[in-house]
Amino acid sequence: AQTVTQSQPEMSVQEAETVTLSCTYDTSESDYYLFWYKQPPSRQMILVIRQEAYKQQNATENRFSVNFQKAAKSFSLKISDSQLGDAAMYFCAYRASQGGSEKLVFGKGTKLTVNP
Amino acid sequence: GAGVSQSPSNKVTEKGKDVELRCDPISGHTALYWYRQSLGQGLEFLIYFQGNSAPDKSGLPSDRFSAERTGGSVSTLTIQRTQQEDSAVYLCASSRFGGRFTNIQYFGAGTRLSVL
């Protein structure tokens, strides 16, 4: 079974600085999707960024970028120029690309605090 | 609608009572998912519906849990004879098939269930 590990329960960053959140996963599949979701206190999970495993190029979305290391099964999220609104729980998630069920497998999450 | 809508937002019930949680997915999304988020277990997949196919019920924790999706749209998650360990946030997500945004799950704000 696939597993996702986020080794940092909590992280903090100064406003305008850069922070990196770690995520590793375990799978025997060669093709899959990886996601970072943000969950603010409102509870609604918001997609931050998505990476397809067959693409070697790291995904970027404005201030958010990933470092995808397929061989190492690592998928870290870098937040540049951190803003107060970035404070939230961040979840790394895995989804198989084939095999029927499209369920997401989530890590335990990292709570990010942004200090003014 | 503009997003995934879940109701009620909060539900308090007594142990042993049945509860129904509702999810209204984004219009046109053929896939619908239920997840449970609890302090001890993190985010867990419960059930997945895709069009007219048989649902993937592999994540349902016991036979007290069931879900249906009527007319390929609204879904109801039913928990019978609730137990205190059922207390959690129940999240619903939907996704479309095909096109650039395929495989992206969009989440509702969840229903917080408290079993007294």
Side-chain angles (χ1 to χ4, degrees):
Chain A
Q2 293 85 6
T3 58
V4 177
T5 301
Q6 294 180 249
S7 58
Q8 306 151 317
E10 296 188 25
M11 291 281 286
S12 64
V13 63
Q14 290 296 125
E15 195 175 4
E17 297 294 310
T18 296
V19 65
T20 298
L21 308 184
S22 301
C23 172
T24 58
Y25 57 94
D26 187 25
T27 183
S28 58
E29 304 293 327
S30 59
D31 195 16
Y32 46 87
Y33 298 91
L34 296 166
F35 305 85
W36 279 98
Y37 278 90
K38 168 185 176 181
Q39 187 180 41
S42 66
R43 292 200 311 244
Q44 186 159 14
M45 302 278 280
I46 301 165
L47 178 68
V48 175
I49 201 164
R50 173 180 72 154
Q51 175 81 42
E52 289 119 324
Y54 67 87
K55 290 186 176 179
Q56 294 186 353
Q57 186 173 6
N58 289 325
T60 62
E61 288 287 344
N62 301 314
R63 298 182 294 107
F64 299 87
S65 61
V66 299
N67 183 3
F68 173 48
Q69 301 289 329
K70 190 173 184 179
K73 297 180 182 174
S74 171
F75 183 61
S76 61
L77 174 69
K78 185 171 82 171
I79 306 174
S80 303
D81 185 25
S82 298
Q83 300 176 1
L84 295 177
D86 294 334
M89 284 291 292
Y90 285 81
F91 292 93
C92 178
Y94 167 100
R95 209 221 82 175
S97 67
Q98 297 178 10
S101 179
E102 301 183 359
K103 67 179 182 183
L104 292 172
V105 178
F106 288 91
K108 295 291 188 185
T110 296
K111 182 179 180 181
L112 178 66
T113 301
V114 181
N115 300 311
Chain B
V4 177
S5 178
Q6 292 189 245
S7 60
S9 178
N10 294 282
K11 175 73 176 178
V12 180
T13 190
E14 295 179 350
K15 179 181 173 181
K17 300 281 190 182
D18 297 353
V19 295
E20 287 189 350
L21 312 180
R22 176 187 169 105
C23 173
D24 203 339
I26 293 172
S27 178
H29 281 195
T30 58
L32 186 147
Y33 316 76
W34 284 98
Y35 295 88
R36 178 170 71 173
Q37 185 175 22
S38 58
L39 282 175
Q41 301 299 321
L43 275 152
E44 305 171 279
F45 165 77
L46 296 177
I47 188 169
Y48 157 62
F49 297 90
Q50 172 61 279
N52 295 320
S53 302
D56 175 0
K57 304 179 182 180
S58 61
L60 295 178
S62 77
D63 58 8
R64 296 186 295 104
F65 288 72
S66 63
E68 63 177 18
R69 189 179 184 190
T70 53
S73 181
V74 172
S75 177
T76 302
L77 177 69
T78 301
I79 309 173
Q80 295 178 313
R81 306 180 301 282
T82 52
Q83 304 295 312
Q84 287 183 333
E85 60 263 28
D86 299 334
S87 295
V89 174
Y90 290 82
L91 293 167
C92 177
S94 69
S95 69
R96 61 176 293 176
F97 182 79
R100 178 177 174 226
F101 298 102
T102 192
N103 304 319
I104 296 175
Q105 295 184 24
Y106 297 87
F107 284 79
T111 294
R112 180 179 297 280
L113 176 66
S114 299
V115 182
L116 304 179

